[in-house]
Amino acid sequence: MDHNDRPAIDETDVAILERVERDADVNLADLAAELDLSKSAVHYRLNKLKDADVIASVSADVDPLALGLDMVVITEVSVAHESGYADDIGQALTEIDGVFQVYYTMGDVDFIVHSRVQDRDQMNDLIDEIVTIDGVNETSSTFVMKELQTNPKTVANMSDTMIETVIDGTE
Amino acid sequence: MDHNDRPAIDETDVAILERVERDADVNLADLAAELDLSKSAVHYRLNKLKDADVIASVSADVDPLALGLDMVVITEVSVAHESGYADDIGQALTEIDGVFQVYYTMGDVDFIVHSRVQDRDQMNDLIDEIVTIDGVNETSSTFVMKELQTNPKTVANMSDTMIETVIDGTE
DNA sequence: AATGAAATCGACCAGCA
DNA sequence: TGCTGGTCGATTTCATT
């Protein structure tokens, strides 16, 4: 084991991860053939990656647009600084329906909240809900005109350097 | 068919979507039992949802933290307004390694870029890459201290009202 | 949309490097 | 510890009603 507690990951693991995060429905045989490995070996590694929570879950990606969720709003939230309720406020933000991402940030703004709704009414309701939270001081919302990339695939967005760091750093 | 070209979705479809976006490894028998349906009916509906691209893909969710990607940066990008290269700039932003989300927004800022890196060096390199893009005027980066929710599950974040809108609006 | 049969796939095992 | 090949059982898949 190395200095940190991350599981050891090699090139083969990265190749498997890249493939299954792109399409988890791939059969073991095909995947094994692509990697010049046996089915069992791939199976073994997949289990290990799941046990180590490198693969957190396998999920169907539901297209928001197919459900009419074509409005994305970004809301900057500032809280009253004397109040030590930052944790509570963050929690309250994540629980609002429509909110899919909450960041706690350094800087003049405390939280950045991303949400997805179907129409202006829902947008107004959502922003109202945020303002109503106890301790919230000021909000500023921005409307997203176009999502150019909404691709939270982890491996696909990594550079070669990042991948090398993973392989070298956990061996 | 209704006024728009979205596929018709009913309560059962929503229940299926909610379940498979949470865990796509569930077997048909269990899912069918939960919904009081036959396996074939669930199978039929799943195929329909995939064909209609309501389910865009099934993917393994790779934990960024397991790969050392524990730094998230949000960068606001403003472009020179006389240049009509907004599309090109947006495209260039999505192609940068580490970038996982790009929004084109209304307001004083033109693009909002989210990226994930392993260390400060990579963060600096990434911001340099953004600044180097032809037409980019000004950038402002914010460091994320904590991700409270990074859960781009679509159905899980929807309110009852939103779900009703889907069901009523596409029947 | 349900049934039941056929094909396919993933899980597991013993043995080995 | 990680890999191989093969077998068994479960699951998906499909034709038919």
Side-chain angles (χ1 to χ4, degrees), chain A residues 24 57-58 61-62 98 104 145 157, chain B residues 24 57-58 61 98 104 145 154 157:
Chain A
S57 63
V58 177
D61 305 317
V62 178
Y104 183 53
M145 296 183 65
N157 290 323
Chain B
S57 63
V58 177
D61 305 318
Y104 183 53
M145 298 184 64
T154 301
N157 290 323

Side-chain angles (χ1 to χ4, degrees), chain B residues 8-29:
Chain B
I9 289 170
D10 63 15
E11 299 92 333
T12 307
D13 289 322
V14 172
I16 293 174
L17 291 174
E18 191 277 329
R19 190 69 176 82
V20 295
E21 88 167 357
R22 182 152 43 88
D23 176 21
D25 278 338
V26 64
N27 45 3
L28 282 185

Side-chain angles (χ1 to χ4, degrees), chain B residues 77-141:
Chain B
V77 177
S78 301
V79 307
H81 272 81
E82 62 277 10
S83 78
Y85 302 126
D87 284 350
D88 295 332
I89 295 169
Q91 178 67 16
L93 288 169
T94 64
E95 283 170 5
I96 295 174
D97 287 324
V99 169
F100 64 94
Q101 216 168 47
V102 178
Y103 293 138
Y104 183 53
T105 64
M106 316 187 40
D108 14 77
V109 165
D110 296 298
F111 294 96
I112 294 180
V113 179
H114 290 219
S115 42
R116 217 181 272 280
V117 294
Q118 292 162 330
D119 53 46
R120 295 188 66 88
D121 286 343
Q122 290 174 8
M123 186 183 87
N124 288 328
D125 289 348
L126 192 145
I127 294 171
D128 277 349
E129 278 196 75
I130 293 177
V131 175
T132 305
I133 295 172
D134 200 48
V136 165
N137 211 14
E138 201 186 332
T139 70
S140 162
S141 290

Side-chain angles (χ1 to χ4, degrees), chain B residues 24-40:
Chain B
D25 278 338
V26 64
N27 45 3
L28 282 185
D30 290 351
L31 187 46
E34 285 174 30
L35 301 173
D36 270 310
L37 268 178
S38 71
K39 285 190 293 182
S40 319

